[in-house]
Amino acid sequence: MADTNPVAIATTQILKFNSVKHKRTRGTTSSTSVRHSVAQETPLPIYTGMMLHAHTRKKELVDRLSHLGLSISYDRVLQLSAQMGNSVCQQFHRERVVCPPKMRGQVFTTAAVDNIDHNPSATTSKDSFHGTAISLIQHPSYTGEGVDRSIIIVGGSEDARSKTVAPLPHYYTDVPPVTSSIKKSPVPAARVASLTRGDFKQQTDEEY
């Protein structure tokens, strides 16, 4: 198969993206505003709009390129971002665990957990932060091991225009307390095996 020129691919995608079928108006010279159809969206204008929004967060820049026919509009960027976020949240609900979609299933995985404590010492500080950082590391034996967990972008007629992201599952954001009182918490007995240095005799003690 011959190599395809990327410039030719980009040009054809822009042509298809800006090809709009509309009714001609007779007797008027006013130009009709062009609205891009979702059915004719190509990867290039979507990539351009998402990339600009990720790097600059500027609505004016995205809409300016959209007016030139080189990118999707800023509102469309927000709609696609919301659809991706909602698809990830739906996957969390299906699997009943909050895990990044980039992580592959059935692969040996280790985790590193550490506290994040920010106690501001300035006199003008009004708040502090206490959290937990969790880093997941996968150790595949070979390239491509495991099950792909990539999200599937879903969006019906109602979700297509939505710009809000659904909240995370309640079992991730709400951690129920183990006990209501620390002083009155029952501690079960534990059997601990100890070895004496003299004759290495194993002894079993009751520890409370």
Side-chain angles (χ1 to χ4, degrees):
M1 183 177 179
D3 295 337
T4 306
N5 190 349
V7 178
I9 296 178
T11 304
T12 54
Q13 291 187 17
I14 293 297
L15 287 175
K16 181 179 180 181
F17 177 65
N18 292 280
S19 298
V20 180
K21 182 179 180 180
H22 58 82
K23 183 179 179 180
R24 293 184 178 180
T25 56
R26 296 182 178 180
T28 59
T29 58
S30 59
S31 60
T32 305
S33 60
V34 177
R35 293 186 178 181
H36 297 98
S37 175
V38 177
Q40 293 190 192
E41 285 183 349
T42 53
L44 180 60
I46 296 177
Y47 168 76
T48 303
M50 300 292 287
M51 181 186 62
L52 287 176
H53 181 257
H55 283 78
T56 64
R57 299 288 178 178
K58 293 183 178 180
K59 176 182 178 181
E60 181 182 359
L61 181 59
V62 177
D63 284 339
R64 184 175 299 178
L65 290 182
S66 175
H67 181 70
L68 296 175
L70 302 176
S71 168
I72 58 177
S73 64
Y74 182 79
D75 290 339
R76 182 58 179 159
V77 169
L78 297 183
Q79 292 174 5
L80 291 177
S81 300
Q83 289 183 19
M84 288 188 289
N86 290 329
S87 299
V88 173
C89 289
Q90 290 182 13
Q91 182 173 350
F92 292 161
H93 283 286
R94 288 194 304 268
E95 299 178 348
R96 297 197 60 81
V97 63
V98 178
C99 183
K102 295 291 291 184
M103 305 290 292
R104 298 182 65 87
Q106 300 180 6
V107 178
F108 180 71
T109 305
T110 57
V113 183
D114 194 6
N115 294 331
I116 301 177
D117 297 323
H118 176 63
N119 295 315
S121 58
T123 56
T124 57
S125 299
K126 298 181 180 179
D127 198 1
S128 61
F129 177 78
H130 302 279
T132 303
I134 304 176
S135 300
L136 299 177
I137 305 97
Q138 291 195 316
H139 310 273
S141 302
Y142 54 89
T143 304
E145 181 186 4
V147 180
D148 187 16
R149 297 177 53 256
S150 299
I151 61 173
I152 300 176
I153 306 300
V154 294
S157 58
E158 298 180 357
D159 298 334
R161 298 181 179 275
S162 177
K163 301 177 185 177
T164 58
V165 180
L168 290 173
H170 65 87
Y171 48 81
Y172 177 78
T173 56
D174 301 334
V175 181
V178 178
T179 180
S180 59
S181 177
I182 299 178
K183 295 182 179 180
K184 298 180 180 180
S185 301
V187 180
R191 300 180 65 86
V192 180
S194 61
L195 297 175
T196 59
R197 286 194 174 185
D199 54 356
F200 293 98
K201 181 180 179 181
Q202 186 172 358
Q203 299 177 353
T204 303
D205 301 328
E206 292 287 343
E207 297 290 341
Y208 295 91

